[in-house]
Amino acid sequence: MSDALTDGRRFRLFNVIDDFNRESLSIDIDTSLPARRVIRTLERMAAERGMPKCIRFDNGPEFISCLLQEWCESRNIRLLYIQPGKPTQNAFVERQNGSIRRGLLNAYLFSSLAEVRIMAEEWRMDYNLERPHKSLGYLSPFRYAEKYYQSRKEDLLLYPQAVTGKPLQFEGNRFVDKIVEKQIDSNP
């Protein structure tokens, strides 16, 4: 995703979202976002939250680089790439990109990268803490995760903040695979 400052300089945004609760984990902004910068962002997030089991990317050059692939392989992170021309395969990020475009990039004129970064972080916190999502039962991403982890006693050891009421600071990996249970009839 990209936009331009008032002086015409282009900048790019690297958005990371958690598919489980639609939480915006990071919005990295700079004039260039090569693979090394993507890795630096992922390392920062891993230090804060733990390594994910899987990451889904589009086919941008920074994401298909050997450097990023090697980094993921060395950490046992599975890489998934959407098919070219099929942005719906990464629908959560695409929806967030549209929200960022409407609520931030089209709403303001920016004169510096620092200004974009400050406003993007404010937007991200509002998105995570205040903005309800229909698909999450009209809860914000943080409230949805809080409700989810409060309802699962076995997860309370990993997420003690759900019991203490302290602000959520997620730890570990929260990617959840969908499990489909097949009902077996006892009558043949």
Side-chain angles (χ1 to χ4, degrees):
M1 169 168 215
S2 67
D3 205 347
L5 300 174
T6 54
D7 64 6
R9 288 184 298 148
R10 307 278 313 156
F11 64 88
R12 297 188 64 206
L13 292 86
F14 171 46
N15 301 313
V16 182
I17 192 166
D18 185 335
D19 282 0
F20 166 65
N21 66 338
R22 316 308 191 269
E23 179 186 357
S24 177
L25 303 177
S26 176
I27 302 174
D28 207 7
I29 299 163
D30 214 330
T31 55
S32 175
L33 293 168
R36 288 186 195 282
R37 180 65 180 271
V38 169
I39 289 170
R40 190 168 69 212
T41 299
L42 295 174
E43 284 177 342
R44 178 180 45 82
M45 290 174 34
E48 295 170 2
R49 304 171 64 98
M51 290 288 177
K53 292 181 181 177
C54 178
I55 302 175
R56 184 181 320 116
F57 289 117
D58 63 24
N59 293 283
E62 64 275 20
F63 304 131
I64 61 172
S65 77
C66 291
L67 191 63
L68 181 61
Q69 290 176 5
E70 290 169 3
W71 183 85
C72 288
E73 284 176 14
S74 69
R75 286 154 181 80
N76 295 320
I77 298 171
R78 188 171 62 141
L79 278 174
L80 296 176
Y81 292 102
I82 67 170
Q83 294 172 305
K86 304 270 186 179
T88 56
Q89 292 178 353
N90 207 4
F92 298 138
V93 168
E94 293 300 326
R95 186 191 182 291
Q96 185 191 32
N97 287 348
S99 295
I100 290 171
R101 175 72 58 201
R102 288 184 302 278
L104 181 68
L105 300 177
N106 289 350
Y108 300 96
L109 296 174
F110 301 103
S111 57
S112 71
L113 288 176
E115 190 177 16
V116 180
R117 289 180 185 126
I118 290 168
M119 293 289 290
E121 184 59 20
E122 289 175 5
W123 183 92
R124 190 180 76 80
M125 294 310 296
D126 178 66
Y127 181 88
N128 288 335
L129 294 170
E130 305 298 331
R131 190 169 301 171
H133 294 249
K134 183 178 179 181
S135 63
L136 301 177
Y138 296 98
L139 296 172
S140 71
F142 274 2
R143 296 300 149 239
Y144 179 82
E146 182 178 56
K147 184 177 177 181
Y148 175 84
Y149 291 114
Q150 282 179 340
S151 69
R152 282 150 181 81
K153 292 181 180 177
E154 65 273 8
D155 290 337
L156 293 179
L157 294 175
L158 292 173
Y159 299 92
Q161 66 276 10
V163 174
T164 63
K166 292 181 181 176
L168 292 175
Q169 294 180 352
F170 294 111
E171 301 163 8
N173 179 5
R174 296 186 342 274
F175 286 113
V176 177
D177 292 328
K178 292 182 181 177
I179 299 172
V180 178
E181 294 183 22
K182 183 178 178 184
Q183 197 170 38
I184 300 173
D185 292 332
S186 58
N187 299 333

